[in-house]
């Protein structure tokens, strides 16, 4: 056998990439050369960054940085094993206890990421005779978890309670378990899941109620306790997922609930069983972050103040910021709906050239024809940075016929 005659079995990938380029939705990764901050150096250029999930500015908080360094000095850089073998360090247990107290639940388990928290939990809780009733705009990690579980997936139209009830009613006489699941805040549109009405349905039909609070952790509820606290539906949500990767500023995901739920996940959630636990620095950083949430509530106030200002000004420019053919944002995520994928990517590139980092998002991340620039506020953007970003958005938006 000679390699000279071998046909590259991956040659189809080149064809697919060419197709992306033709559609105008192929991208190069932008590279951050500074810290993740409102004013960042990206691809060698200083830009105002309105693309990150660093809601509270915790990625560079001195207390978190010190906690990471101290834990590294004390415990080293890695845990050395999966949690169930030899990789459970006291600092991992401390973080889980800290989160459980913060969320006022019996227990908590931390995963490597929000993605694995969702996919690992949904796939562990349900099996092939069960049913998952899921909002059509739920995050990819929920969809993957649902597929892995082999349960039957019944999708309901976005935030459509009547449709969710129809789906639940259609399987109410089936013996399998039912899981009703929604994002707390929807990541592409910034609207909030209708928790109270979904909790009513879960109770009426005896379904397990689960929420994914990735974009609500640190953003909604008292001191950022999430949507359960925001809506005052304590005790009515069986499984609460959150992330440590967005407002919390580091990396990870967690599940909160009863002691039995957490004990079960310790035994059955596959990312927990088969993937190594966080380095001590990550756990220490997150512990410090929850302390900051309690000690510095002014960060959350500032986040919302910036959000109100930026949203109002974006609307004044004349952009479609949702609420017409897409859901209306209620949170620091504000989309600028463009529609066409190619034009969206051009908008994003032109913004970057003029000093604003705002990511374009197109199919398959959002539906075809609903491509958008997604803007995200943080507590640490200054008014001057926001005004400069708004000026640039207006100028480039008008030039491209978007505003
Ligand atoms: C970002 C996100 C996740 C994944 O969280 P990571 O910690 O980044 O893996 C899960 N669900 C939603 C809704 C998200 O936006």
């Amino acid at each position: 056998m000679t390699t000279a005659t071998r046909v590259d079995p991956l040659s189809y990938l080149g064809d697919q990439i060419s197709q992306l380029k033709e559609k105008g939705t192929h991208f190069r990764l932008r590279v951050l050369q500074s810290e993740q901050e409102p004013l960042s150096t990206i691809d060698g250029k200083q830009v105002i960054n309105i693309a990150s999930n660093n809601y509270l500015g915790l990625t560079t908080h001195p207390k978190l940085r010190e906690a990471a360094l101290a834990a590294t000095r004390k415990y080293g850089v890695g845990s050395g094993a999966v949690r169930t073998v030899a990789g459970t360090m006291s600092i991992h247990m401390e973080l889980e206890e800290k989160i459980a107290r913060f969320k006022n639940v019996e227990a908590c388990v931390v995963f490597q990421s929000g993605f694995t928290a969702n996919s690992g939990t949904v796939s562990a809780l349900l099996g092939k005779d069960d049913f998952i009733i899921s909002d059509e705009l739920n995050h990819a990690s929920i969809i993957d978890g649902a597929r892995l579980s082999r349960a039957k997936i019944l999708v309901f139209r976005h935030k459509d309670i009547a449709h969710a009830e129809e789906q639940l009613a259609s399987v109410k006489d089936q013996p399998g378990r039912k899981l009703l699941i929604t994002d707390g805040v929807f990541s592409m549109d910034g609207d909030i899941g209708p928790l109270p009405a979904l909790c009513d349905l879960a109770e009426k039909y005896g379904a397990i109620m689960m929420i994914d609070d990735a974009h609500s952790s640190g953003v909604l509820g008292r001191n950022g306790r999430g949507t359960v606290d925001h809506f005052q539906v304590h005790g009515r949500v069986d499984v609460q997922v959150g992330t440590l990767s967005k407002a919390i500023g580091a990396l990870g995901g967690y599940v909160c609930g009863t002691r039995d739920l957490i004990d079960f996940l310790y035994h059955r959630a596959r990312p927990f069983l088969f993937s190594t636990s966080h380095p001590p620095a990550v756990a220490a950083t997150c512990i410090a972050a929850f302390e900051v949430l309690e000690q510095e509530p002014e960060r959350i106030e500032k986040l919302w103040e910036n959000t109100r200002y930026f949203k109002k000004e974006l609307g004044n420019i004349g952009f479609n910021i949702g609420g017409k053919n897409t859901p209306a944002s209620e949170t620091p995520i504000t989309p600028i709906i463009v529609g066409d994928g190619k034009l969206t990517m051009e908008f994003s590139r032109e913004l970057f050239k003029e000093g604003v980092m705002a990511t374009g998002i197109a199919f398959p991340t959002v539906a075809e024809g609903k491509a958008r620039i997604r803007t995200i506020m943080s507590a640490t953007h200054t008014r001057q940075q926001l005004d400069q970003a708004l000026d640039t958005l207006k100028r480039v938006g008008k030039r491209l016929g978007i505003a």
Side-chain angles (χ1 to χ4, degrees):
M1 234 180 27
T2 65
T3 51
T5 57
R6 187 169 179 265
V7 177
D8 177 7
L10 291 177
S11 60
Y12 67 101
L13 300 182
D15 299 340
Q16 301 211 352
I17 288 167
S18 302
Q19 279 175 28
L20 287 177
K21 286 182 175 162
E22 271 162 39
K23 281 182 75 180
T25 53
H26 181 265
F27 56 81
R28 268 188 324 101
L29 294 173
R30 293 227 180 266
V31 180
L32 185 61
Q33 283 128 349
S34 64
E35 298 182 332
Q36 179 63 267
E37 285 200 302
L39 197 60
S40 302
T41 305
I42 299 177
D43 289 346
K45 192 175 162 66
Q46 201 177 58
V47 290
I48 296 170
N49 181 350
I50 50 170
S52 92
N53 301 311
N54 184 23
Y55 289 108
L56 301 176
L58 298 194
T59 55
T60 53
H61 193 293
K63 284 185 180 159
L64 275 63
R65 203 192 291 261
E66 280 314 309
L69 291 169
T72 302
R73 283 193 203 97
K74 189 164 176 190
Y75 298 114
V77 296
S79 74
V82 304
R83 290 285 299 275
T84 50
V85 174
T88 295
M89 302 175 92
S90 56
I91 203 162
H92 295 130
M93 299 311 291
E94 197 188 317
L95 174 59
E96 290 180 345
E97 283 154 22
K98 178 111 200 156
I99 299 172
R101 277 199 306 279
F102 179 75
K103 301 279 276 189
N104 197 21
V105 292
E106 277 178 28
C108 169
V109 50
V110 168
F111 286 81
Q112 297 83 359
S113 67
F115 196 105
T116 54
N118 272 325
S119 63
T121 300
V122 173
S123 58
L125 291 182
L126 288 303
K128 68 174 176 25
D129 299 324
D130 300 328
F131 300 91
I132 298 172
I133 297 92
S134 176
D135 189 290
E136 65 181 341
L137 295 188
N138 277 346
H139 192 258
S141 53
I142 294 175
I143 298 169
D144 283 13
R147 289 176 182 161
L148 282 170
S149 75
R150 292 150 69 221
K152 189 152 193 293
I153 303 163
L154 305 172
V155 172
F156 59 93
R157 286 186 296 274
H158 183 51
K159 300 210 303 189
D160 185 334
I161 299 300
H163 195 213
E165 175 150 25
E166 227 175 88
Q167 297 288 33
L168 280 162
S170 74
V171 293
K172 76 173 189 322
D173 297 326
Q174 306 266 357
R177 296 182 184 88
K178 286 98 196 179
L179 173 78
L180 182 56
I181 184 163
T182 183
D183 279 9
V185 169
F186 290 87
S187 50
M188 294 300 145
D189 295 285
D191 55 333
I192 304 177
L195 236 56
L198 290 175
C199 288
D200 290 346
L201 283 186
E203 283 156 19
K204 182 170 171 189
Y205 290 90
I208 304 161
M209 183 69 219
M210 175 165 171
I211 57 149
D212 172 7
D213 256 348
H215 282 281
S216 346
S217 319
V219 173
L220 285 175
R222 279 171 309 137
N223 302 84
R225 282 178 171 77
T227 46
V228 167
D229 195 74
H230 172 77
F231 282 116
Q232 296 288 310
V233 288
H234 301 97
R236 302 181 67 195
V237 175
D238 304 293
V239 188
Q240 287 187 62
V241 170
T243 182
L244 304 167
S245 326
K246 290 176 173 140
I248 301 303
L251 173 70
Y254 58 85
V255 180
C256 282
T258 61
R259 173 63 58 199
D260 279 353
L261 169 68
I262 302 314
D263 201 23
F264 175 81
L265 293 174
Y266 278 177
H267 288 82
R268 286 289 178 271
R270 291 168 69 83
F272 189 86
L273 295 167
F274 294 106
S275 184
T276 297
S277 54
H278 282 151
V282 172
T285 302
C286 295
I287 291 169
F290 283 94
E291 277 157 18
V292 167
L293 287 186
E294 292 187 293
Q295 290 162 1
E296 301 178 23
E298 63 275 14
R299 283 181 183 264
I300 300 179
E301 282 160 31
K302 190 75 205 260
L303 168 67
W304 283 95
E305 187 189 313
N306 281 346
T307 296
R308 283 188 291 274
Y309 177 73
F310 198 70
K311 228 184 250 305
K312 178 167 72 61
E313 295 298 320
L314 276 182
N316 287 345
I317 292 173
F319 288 121
N320 172 3
I321 57 167
K324 296 176 189 121
N325 57 343
T326 60
S329 167
E330 307 161 78
T331 66
I333 299 171
T334 310
I336 299 174
I337 308 293
V338 177
D340 181 62
K342 197 169 189 161
L343 181 58
T344 300
M345 294 309 171
E346 189 186 346
F347 190 19
S348 177
R349 274 195 306 272
E350 292 298 308
L351 286 170
F352 188 81
K353 278 190 206 153
E354 305 204 15
V356 174
M357 169 73 174
T359 319
I361 298 174
F363 181 81
T365 308
V366 296
E368 200 83 74
K370 292 188 175 173
R372 68 203 54 196
I373 296 283
R374 182 175 65 166
T375 71
I376 302 186
M377 277 302 96
S378 88
T380 44
H381 282 104
T382 64
R383 181 57 65 90
Q384 191 230 328
Q385 286 164 347
L386 295 186
D387 285 338
Q388 199 181 322
L390 286 161
D391 269 357
T392 308
L393 281 157
K394 182 175 179 176
R395 189 172 62 250
V396 178
K398 296 252 183 248
R399 194 165 76 221
L400 296 179
I402 293 163

